[in-house]
Structures are given as C-alpha cells and as structure tokens.
Amino acid sequence: MSRARQLFDQMPGPSSALWNTMFKGYVQNEMYGQVMGLFNQMNSKNATHSCFTFPMVLKSCAKLLALREGGQVHCLVLKIGFGVNSYVGTTLIDMYSSGGEIGLAYKAFSEMVGRNVVAWTSMVNAFLLYSDVVSARRLFDLAPDRDIVLWNTMVSGYIKCGDMVAARELFDVMPNKDLISWNTLLNGYANNADVEGIERFFEEMPEKNVFSWNGLIGGYAHNKRFAEIISAFKRMMKEAHVSPNDATLVIVLSACSRLGALDMGKWVHAYVESSEYKKNVFVGNGLIDMYAKCGVIESAVDVFREMSTKDLVSYNTLINGLAVHGHGSDALGYFDEMENAGVRPDGITFIGILCACSHMGEVENGLLYYHLMINKYSVSPQIEHCGCMVDLLGRAGLLEQAVNFIINMPLQADSVVWTALLGACRIYKNVELAELALEQLIEIEPENPANYVMLSNVYSDARRWDDVARSKIAMRNTKHRKLPGCSLIELDQEVVEFYSYDERHTKTEELYLALRGLTKQLKSCGYVPKDKTFCEEPSEGRIFSIT
C-alpha cells in the first residue's frame, strides 16, 4: 500500500475510480485510519465522489467506532444527493448499529427511498445485534421481498436468543430452504445443548455436506459427548461421500485426547499424512495435544519437529505436554527455542514452564520464570500460575514460604491452591499447616468430602488415629460422597469406562478374578501394600483398593 500511495500521490489529477481504488486497498488491508486521512485529502481537493466512495468510508468509521465522523460523512451524503442510494443507505445502517445507535440506524433505513432486500436484511440484523427479536420479527413480517439470506438471518436471531421453538417454526414455513438453512438450524440445536434435537434434525436433513457433519460432531463436542464424536466420525468416513476438513479432524483429535483413544488418534494421523492437511497448523497442534494427553510424548515431539509452521499454540501444547510427563528440561529447552523464533509467550506458556520447574524441584528457576513472566512479558499472574508456585514451594518442602506466597498473592486463593498446600503437607507430615489448609477449603467447598479424605491421610501418616476417626465423621456429616475414580481403556476401537467399586460391567466376575490373581502375583514377588485399608478377600468377594 505504501508503494501504491507513492504512485497515487504523483498523479496530477486522479479520477474518481482511482480514489476509490486507493480506498478499497486500504479497506482490504484493514488500514481504516488511512481511509479517513485520504478522504479528508479528497475533500480538500474538491475531488468528485461516487456512490462507491461513501460505503468504504462509512465502513472505516464503523470499524474505528468514529460515529461523530460518520455523522459528518452522512451529512455530506445527503448534501451531495446520495441519500437515495440503497448501497450507501445500507452501509449507514451498519455503521450506526455497530456503534450502538440503533435509533439512528432505523432513521437512516426509514429515509431510504428504494429499500431493497439487502437493506431490509441489514436493519433486521441490526435489531438482532441488540437482542431486539420482537422489532426484528415485526420488520421481517413487513418486508415486501424476502430472500433466503433474510430468512436465515431471522432464524439465526431466534437461535441466538435460545428460542429454538420459534426458530424451528419459522424454518418449517421457509420456502426454498437451502443447505445453509438446514446447517444453520442444526448448529442452533448444538449451541443450545439439545443433543437429541441435533440427532433428530440431522437424520431429517435431505442432503449433508462437511459442515453438516461438523455440526453434528461439534454438537457432541459442545456437550462433552466424546465417545459419540468418535462414533459419528466413523460413520462419516464409512457412509458419507464427504471428506473431513481441518475443523473435523481437530474436533476428533480433541475427543481422542479426552478419551485416551490412542489407536483412533493414530488412524487420524495416518489419514492426515495422506491428505491436504498434512501441513495444516491447526491439525498439527491437535496431533501434538492428542499424543501428549495419551502419554506418547515422543510422538508429540516428532509431530512438532515435522511442522513447517509453528504458532504460539504449537509451542504451548508441546511445552505443557513435556512438563506434565516429567520432561522438564526439554520443556525449558523448547521455551528458549520459542523465544529465539520470535514467538511471544503468554500465560499458558508459563503454566507449563512453572509446572516443569515444580516437577524438577527447581525453586530458584521457578521464581526466576515467575518474575520473568511479569516483568518482561507483562503477563499478569492468574490463579493457575499461583497454584503452580505453591505446588513448586510445597514439593520442595518450603511450606512456610508457600503459605507466605498464598497470603501475598495478588488474587484470592481458590481450592486448587489450598489443595496443593494440603498435598505438600501430607508429603512432609505437617499436620498444623494441613489443618490450616482444610479450614480454608471448608470455607470454599464446604460440601466436598475429598478435602476430609486428604486430611485424614495426613493424620494417618502421622499415626494420629483419633484424628483420623474424627475427620471421617466430619466427612460423613457433609452428606456427600466422594466421586469414584474412573479409568478409561481403549479395546477393539471402543472406549470402556471402569469406576471404583463398579459392578455394572457384564464381565465383573472375570475382572475381579483377574485382579485377585494379579494381587497374588504381586505379593509373591515381595510386594506389601502400604494402605491399611487394602482388602484382598473382603466379605463381598471384591478387591476395593490397591496402593
């Protein structure tokens, strides 16, 4: 644009078309301030305006939220005589509505002589932008001509305000529905957490494209139905003559990471390698995340190294994955590489870095990076960073320093911070600070029995059996049960859940028989359980826990 401007300024008498070419170039490059400067220069030279000039200038006013200047341009529009132009009038509606002046937007709409369907759609959309569905519907009903865009706009308005009944009623009477209309309503069910509605409507669709399948899969993701994501993706690959796009692959990889479905994730990786998305940075980031969360950190590193383009998310995903899996020094190494590559770290980056320092027990390094985050990169500490610091100090046995850090934190300590301190108190058998942590946790989460379980473990390690009994009574008094532990395994391309004390599985007897056999094998090799609550042959014939 700078070279274009140099050429333009050398022209003795640029035509209206050339002025508009410069305006268009600035708008396309989002250089809205330069549009306003050039427009002032145009007026000072008394150059001729056209109906194509004002929409670009008014759009720039809207982007800059310069409503005062936009009003001045509006006056010039009326003075020159372009007020009757529907293209200019539509841009005036958009400018005023984007700045919150819905009354002025409607005034501009009312003053338009030849209102076409685009103008009606802009005004309806302006009302919907401020959740005035009643006014939008009233205007929609008055529109002399309604195209598919106006119908879809009104349906989307009902979806945005959560009224799926009205959206469906309007959709049912819509003439000439296209695939975009069907996908709009499908995504509406997804955004309003109606899984049954998504499934039922998806089956009604006469035609489906990749965005339809993404609507179904995204709806499952929006409602944390990860197993259904995998099933829908398999069905898409088997039944539909539609290829997944990068959005599909990212959602499926995310589901694989949440479920630990490594085999399915590897299949997606193989598909990516043979597709056009091999160099897609979003898919690459999804693969790194999937491998890291499935425990195959070496493959995550391999994917990262093979990526031709890496962004902030790429580095953050790898650094956090390495930190969680105990590869702290590697995480710090990639942080140095990130800085050298000119990628500016953010708060998520430093969560991984502080976590890495915590796992390595490097207190001085952790404090160094914490202050680096604040002083060099101007990242304000969030509760996650404070939790990492408390964990770092607690793991190193600096419990008093951890308490002082909590007291002087810039944020109010939450349950995660106090739980980190409570966990450190168990390691170092500090009953006094453990009780302090529990007092704070009771205020924050009075009905969470897990806090009493942790304190009971501290008492047990200190052999204070009376206090153990007292904490168990307090736990029962909450009248809430601790959520059972859950494990996920992938078997025959299906994900199976196992809960602690769970007897619902069809092969429960065989499972517990195998577990008893494994226990005997462990004991024959000299294994002695540390947890006194362990029971090899309980009266119900179940093994409750193995430490």
Side-chain angles (χ1 to χ4, degrees):
M1 284 305 301
S2 61
R3 294 183 64 185
R5 182 62 184 268
Q6 288 174 0
L7 276 173
F8 179 81
D9 288 339
Q10 293 172 11
M11 295 180 176
S15 65
S16 175
L18 283 173
W19 284 97
N20 290 341
T21 299
M22 284 301 301
F23 286 131
K24 184 178 180 181
Y26 280 134
V27 169
Q28 287 178 336
N29 288 279
E30 300 181 356
M31 302 167 73
Y32 304 113
Q34 284 85 337
V35 171
M36 302 306 297
L38 186 65
F39 184 66
N40 289 332
Q41 181 179 329
M42 183 182 190
N43 291 331
S44 66
K45 293 185 176 182
N46 295 318
T48 303
H49 305 86
S50 74
C51 62
F52 301 107
T53 307
F54 291 106
M56 291 184 284
V57 176
L58 290 169
K59 179 179 179 179
S60 300
C61 291
K63 292 292 184 179
L64 296 170
L65 295 179
L67 289 190
R68 182 174 177 272
E69 290 78 3
Q72 293 172 349
V73 175
H74 188 181
C75 290
L76 185 59
V77 165
L78 297 175
K79 180 179 178 181
I80 296 176
F82 284 117
V84 296
N85 185 281
S86 59
Y87 185 27
V88 176
T90 301
T91 315
L92 282 167
I93 295 169
D94 293 337
M95 181 197 70
Y96 283 126
S97 61
S98 66
E101 295 290 348
I102 194 70
L104 291 176
Y106 187 71
K107 187 172 186 294
F109 172 78
S110 301
E111 291 173 351
M112 291 176 65
V113 177
R115 293 189 290 259
N116 58 15
V117 68
V118 178
W120 284 88
T121 303
S122 293
M123 195 62 234
V124 168
N125 193 56
F127 282 125
L128 293 174
L129 186 64
Y130 294 93
S131 302
D132 189 354
V133 184
V134 175
S135 297
R137 181 58 189 267
R138 185 182 302 117
L139 201 65
F140 173 84
D141 290 336
L142 291 172
D145 184 26
R146 303 181 198 135
D147 63 3
I148 195 68
V149 177
L150 181 54
W151 279 94
N152 286 341
T153 299
M154 194 65 233
V155 171
S156 297
Y158 281 123
I159 290 171
K160 183 181 177 182
C161 70
D163 191 349
M164 289 305 299
V165 174
R168 182 62 197 260
E169 289 176 351
L170 189 62
F171 174 84
D172 287 339
V173 298
M174 183 192 302
N176 303 318
K177 291 185 277 283
D178 62 3
L179 187 53
I180 295 176
S181 310
W182 286 89
N183 287 340
T184 298
L185 197 62
L186 179 70
N187 284 297
Y189 284 114
N191 295 335
N192 286 279
D194 186 354
V195 177
E196 292 183 359
I198 298 169
E199 295 172 335
R200 185 170 56 251
F201 188 76
F202 183 80
E203 299 303 329
E204 290 180 29
M205 296 179 69
E207 181 187 357
K208 302 177 183 73
N209 62 6
V210 65
F211 301 105
S212 312
W213 286 96
N214 284 356
L216 177 65
I217 292 172
Y220 286 136
H222 188 73
N223 292 280
K224 296 180 170 56
R225 304 280 282 269
F226 303 112
E228 284 89 338
I229 291 174
I230 304 297
S231 299
F233 178 68
K234 289 179 180 178
R235 179 185 167 191
M236 175 185 180
M237 299 301 292
K238 183 179 180 180
E239 298 179 6
H241 301 290
V242 176
S243 298
N245 61 11
D246 55 347
T248 321
L249 297 171
V250 169
I251 295 173
V252 173
L253 286 169
S254 177
C256 291
S257 67
R258 296 295 293 266
L259 294 171
L262 179 60
D263 288 344
M264 188 65 201
K266 287 181 176 178
W267 188 95
V268 174
H269 189 183
Y271 177 85
V272 169
E273 287 294 313
S274 62
S275 72
E276 61 186 293
Y277 301 109
K278 183 177 181 179
K279 296 184 179 181
N280 186 289
V281 66
F282 303 110
V283 176
N285 293 341
L287 285 168
I288 296 171
D289 182 64
M290 183 275 297
Y291 279 123
K293 288 181 178 174
C294 287
V296 192
I297 193 65
E298 296 82 4
S299 296
V301 173
D302 290 341
V303 171
F304 178 86
R305 300 311 303 175
E306 292 172 3
M307 289 175 65
S308 56
T309 303
K310 305 176 183 71
D311 61 6
L312 175 63
V313 177
S314 312
Y315 281 100
N316 282 353
T317 307
L318 184 66
I319 288 172
N320 279 270
L322 288 166
V324 167
H325 288 285
H327 300 275
S329 59
D330 292 333
L332 300 183
Y334 279 107
F335 178 78
D336 293 337
E337 179 184 316
M338 177 183 187
E339 287 188 306
N340 293 332
V343 180
R344 186 179 180 86
D346 64 358
I348 297 173
T349 316
F350 284 101
I351 291 174
I353 294 301
L354 295 175
C355 179
C357 293
S358 178
H359 285 191
M360 293 189 296
E362 295 189 0
V363 177
E364 291 186 7
N365 249 350
L367 291 168
L368 178 67
Y369 281 113
Y370 182 76
H371 292 298
L372 182 75
M373 173 184 78
I374 299 170
N375 299 326
K376 182 178 180 180
Y377 292 106
S378 303
V379 176
S380 300
Q382 301 300 311
I383 198 68
E384 294 85 0
H385 304 110
C386 297
C388 288
M389 290 304 298
V390 172
D391 185 60
L392 169 65
L393 297 168
R395 284 174 182 260
L398 304 174
L399 299 182
E400 294 291 344
Q401 195 172 338
V403 172
N404 289 333
F405 183 90
I406 294 173
I407 294 171
N408 295 308
M409 275 170 47
L411 302 164
Q412 182 71 32
D414 66 354
S415 60
V416 176
V417 173
W418 288 109
T419 300
L421 178 64
L422 185 56
C425 290
R426 182 184 181 185
I427 296 172
Y428 293 98
K429 299 180 174 57
N430 191 318
V431 176
E432 181 181 354
L433 290 182
E435 290 175 333
L436 170 66
L438 181 66
E439 288 177 8
Q440 300 298 323
L441 285 167
I442 289 173
E443 287 187 15
I444 299 170
E445 300 177 329
E447 298 179 345
N448 186 356
N451 299 325
Y452 294 96
V453 173
M454 290 187 67
L455 182 63
S456 176
N457 291 333
V458 176
Y459 286 139
S460 178
D461 292 340
R463 299 185 177 278
R464 291 172 53 167
W465 308 118
D466 291 341
D467 291 325
V468 171
R470 181 168 53 83
S471 64
K472 288 184 176 180
I473 292 171
M475 181 179 67
R476 284 199 296 268
N477 289 339
T478 65
K479 297 181 181 179
H480 285 78
R481 296 184 62 185
K482 182 178 178 295
L483 292 175
C486 176
S487 297
L488 302 174
I489 67 166
E490 190 178 13
L491 183 66
D492 296 331
Q493 296 187 346
E494 296 292 336
V495 177
V496 185
E497 293 181 338
F498 291 95
Y499 286 90
S500 178
Y501 302 97
D502 191 2
E503 298 184 11
R504 295 172 297 171
H505 198 276
T506 55
K507 296 186 178 181
T508 296
E509 293 297 331
E510 293 93 326
L511 288 168
Y512 280 110
L513 180 63
L515 186 56
R516 280 194 289 273
L518 288 170
T519 306
K520 290 177 180 178
Q521 291 286 342
L522 285 168
K523 294 184 72 175
S524 69
C525 296
Y527 169 77
V528 179
K530 292 182 290 185
D531 192 341
K532 300 301 180 182
T533 61
F534 169 79
C535 182
E536 182 184 348
E537 295 289 348
S539 57
E540 295 86 0
R542 300 285 180 263
I543 292 179
F544 294 123
S545 63
I546 297 178
T547 301

Short mmCIF file of all heavy atoms in Angstrom, two decimals, residues 19-38:
data_model
loop_
_atom_site.label_atom_id
_atom_site.label_comp_id
_atom_site.label_asym_id
_atom_site.label_seq_id
_atom_site.Cartn_x
_atom_site.Cartn_y
_atom_site.Cartn_z
N TRP A 19 -9.32 7.21 -6.89
CA TRP A 19 -9.53 7.45 -5.46
C TRP A 19 -10.18 6.21 -4.81
O TRP A 19 -9.74 5.76 -3.74
CB TRP A 19 -10.45 8.66 -5.25
CG TRP A 19 -9.79 10.00 -5.46
CD1 TRP A 19 -9.84 10.74 -6.59
CD2 TRP A 19 -8.99 10.71 -4.53
NE1 TRP A 19 -9.12 11.91 -6.44
CE2 TRP A 19 -8.58 11.93 -5.17
CE3 TRP A 19 -8.58 10.48 -3.22
CZ2 TRP A 19 -7.80 12.87 -4.53
CZ3 TRP A 19 -7.79 11.44 -2.58
CH2 TRP A 19 -7.39 12.61 -3.23
N ASN A 20 -11.17 5.67 -5.47
CA ASN A 20 -11.86 4.50 -4.92
C ASN A 20 -10.95 3.27 -4.86
O ASN A 20 -11.07 2.44 -3.95
CB ASN A 20 -13.10 4.18 -5.75
CG ASN A 20 -14.20 5.22 -5.59
OD1 ASN A 20 -14.20 5.98 -4.62
ND2 ASN A 20 -15.12 5.27 -6.54
N THR A 21 -10.04 3.17 -5.81
CA THR A 21 -9.09 2.06 -5.79
C THR A 21 -8.21 2.14 -4.55
O THR A 21 -7.94 1.12 -3.89
CB THR A 21 -8.21 2.09 -7.06
OG1 THR A 21 -9.04 1.93 -8.20
CG2 THR A 21 -7.19 0.95 -7.03
N MET A 22 -7.77 3.36 -4.21
CA MET A 22 -6.96 3.53 -3.00
C MET A 22 -7.78 3.22 -1.76
O MET A 22 -7.30 2.54 -0.83
CB MET A 22 -6.42 4.96 -2.93
CG MET A 22 -5.26 5.24 -3.88
SD MET A 22 -3.83 4.16 -3.59
CE MET A 22 -3.45 4.55 -1.89
N PHE A 23 -9.02 3.69 -1.72
CA PHE A 23 -9.89 3.39 -0.57
C PHE A 23 -10.05 1.88 -0.41
O PHE A 23 -9.95 1.33 0.70
CB PHE A 23 -11.27 4.05 -0.76
CG PHE A 23 -11.28 5.53 -0.55
CD1 PHE A 23 -11.87 6.38 -1.49
CD2 PHE A 23 -10.70 6.10 0.56
CE1 PHE A 23 -11.88 7.75 -1.31
CE2 PHE A 23 -10.71 7.48 0.75
CZ PHE A 23 -11.30 8.30 -0.19
N LYS A 24 -10.30 1.21 -1.52
CA LYS A 24 -10.51 -0.24 -1.48
C LYS A 24 -9.26 -0.96 -0.97
O LYS A 24 -9.35 -1.91 -0.18
CB LYS A 24 -10.88 -0.74 -2.87
CG LYS A 24 -11.21 -2.22 -2.92
CD LYS A 24 -11.62 -2.66 -4.33
CE LYS A 24 -11.95 -4.15 -4.36
NZ LYS A 24 -12.33 -4.60 -5.72
N GLY A 25 -8.09 -0.53 -1.42
CA GLY A 25 -6.85 -1.15 -0.96
C GLY A 25 -6.65 -1.01 0.54
O GLY A 25 -6.26 -1.96 1.22
N TYR A 26 -6.92 0.20 1.05
CA TYR A 26 -6.79 0.42 2.49
C TYR A 26 -7.79 -0.45 3.28
O TYR A 26 -7.45 -1.03 4.31
CB TYR A 26 -7.00 1.89 2.82
CG TYR A 26 -5.80 2.78 2.56
CD1 TYR A 26 -5.94 4.00 1.90
CD2 TYR A 26 -4.53 2.39 2.96
CE1 TYR A 26 -4.84 4.82 1.65
CE2 TYR A 26 -3.42 3.20 2.73
CZ TYR A 26 -3.59 4.42 2.07
OH TYR A 26 -2.49 5.22 1.84
N VAL A 27 -9.02 -0.50 2.80
CA VAL A 27 -10.05 -1.29 3.50
C VAL A 27 -9.68 -2.78 3.50
O VAL A 27 -9.80 -3.46 4.53
CB VAL A 27 -11.44 -1.08 2.86
CG1 VAL A 27 -12.45 -2.09 3.40
CG2 VAL A 27 -11.93 0.35 3.12
N GLN A 28 -9.22 -3.29 2.36
CA GLN A 28 -8.86 -4.70 2.28
C GLN A 28 -7.70 -5.05 3.22
O GLN A 28 -7.60 -6.17 3.69
CB GLN A 28 -8.48 -5.06 0.83
CG GLN A 28 -9.67 -5.14 -0.10
CD GLN A 28 -9.26 -5.45 -1.54
OE1 GLN A 28 -8.13 -5.19 -1.94
NE2 GLN A 28 -10.19 -6.00 -2.30
N ASN A 29 -6.84 -4.08 3.48
CA ASN A 29 -5.71 -4.30 4.37
C ASN A 29 -5.99 -3.80 5.80
O ASN A 29 -5.07 -3.68 6.61
CB ASN A 29 -4.46 -3.61 3.81
CG ASN A 29 -3.91 -4.32 2.59
OD1 ASN A 29 -3.22 -5.31 2.69
ND2 ASN A 29 -4.25 -3.81 1.41
N GLU A 30 -7.27 -3.49 6.07
CA GLU A 30 -7.73 -3.07 7.40
C GLU A 30 -7.00 -1.83 7.90
O GLU A 30 -6.74 -1.68 9.09
CB GLU A 30 -7.59 -4.22 8.40
CG GLU A 30 -8.41 -5.45 8.02
CD GLU A 30 -8.28 -6.58 9.02
OE1 GLU A 30 -7.49 -6.44 9.98
OE2 GLU A 30 -8.95 -7.61 8.85
N MET A 31 -6.67 -0.94 6.97
CA MET A 31 -5.99 0.31 7.30
C MET A 31 -7.02 1.44 7.31
O MET A 31 -7.03 2.34 6.45
CB MET A 31 -4.86 0.56 6.30
CG MET A 31 -3.84 -0.56 6.26
SD MET A 31 -2.70 -0.50 4.85
CE MET A 31 -1.66 0.88 5.32
N TYR A 32 -7.93 1.38 8.30
CA TYR A 32 -9.09 2.26 8.29
C TYR A 32 -8.74 3.70 8.60
O TYR A 32 -9.39 4.62 8.11
CB TYR A 32 -10.13 1.73 9.28
CG TYR A 32 -10.52 0.29 9.00
CD1 TYR A 32 -10.19 -0.73 9.90
CD2 TYR A 32 -11.19 -0.05 7.83
CE1 TYR A 32 -10.54 -2.05 9.64
CE2 TYR A 32 -11.53 -1.37 7.56
CZ TYR A 32 -11.20 -2.36 8.47
OH TYR A 32 -11.53 -3.67 8.21
N GLY A 33 -7.71 3.92 9.42
CA GLY A 33 -7.29 5.29 9.69
C GLY A 33 -6.79 5.99 8.45
O GLY A 33 -7.06 7.19 8.24
N GLN A 34 -6.09 5.24 7.58
CA GLN A 34 -5.60 5.83 6.33
C GLN A 34 -6.75 6.18 5.39
O GLN A 34 -6.66 7.12 4.60
CB GLN A 34 -4.63 4.86 5.64
CG GLN A 34 -3.25 4.81 6.27
CD GLN A 34 -3.18 3.85 7.45
OE1 GLN A 34 -4.20 3.53 8.06
NE2 GLN A 34 -1.99 3.39 7.77
N VAL A 35 -7.85 5.40 5.48
CA VAL A 35 -9.03 5.72 4.67
C VAL A 35 -9.55 7.10 5.05
O VAL A 35 -9.85 7.94 4.17
CB VAL A 35 -10.13 4.65 4.87
CG1 VAL A 35 -11.43 5.09 4.21
CG2 VAL A 35 -9.69 3.31 4.30
N MET A 36 -9.65 7.35 6.36
CA MET A 36 -10.18 8.64 6.81
C MET A 36 -9.26 9.79 6.41
O MET A 36 -9.71 10.86 6.00
CB MET A 36 -10.36 8.61 8.34
CG MET A 36 -11.29 7.51 8.83
SD MET A 36 -12.91 7.54 8.04
CE MET A 36 -13.52 9.12 8.58
N GLY A 37 -7.94 9.56 6.50
CA GLY A 37 -6.99 10.60 6.10
C GLY A 37 -7.08 10.91 4.62
O GLY A 37 -7.05 12.09 4.20
N LEU A 38 -7.19 9.85 3.82
CA LEU A 38 -7.29 10.04 2.38
C LEU A 38 -8.60 10.72 2.00
O LEU A 38 -8.65 11.53 1.06
CB LEU A 38 -7.17 8.69 1.67
CG LEU A 38 -7.09 8.73 0.14
CD1 LEU A 38 -5.81 9.44 -0.31
CD2 LEU A 38 -7.14 7.32 -0.44
#
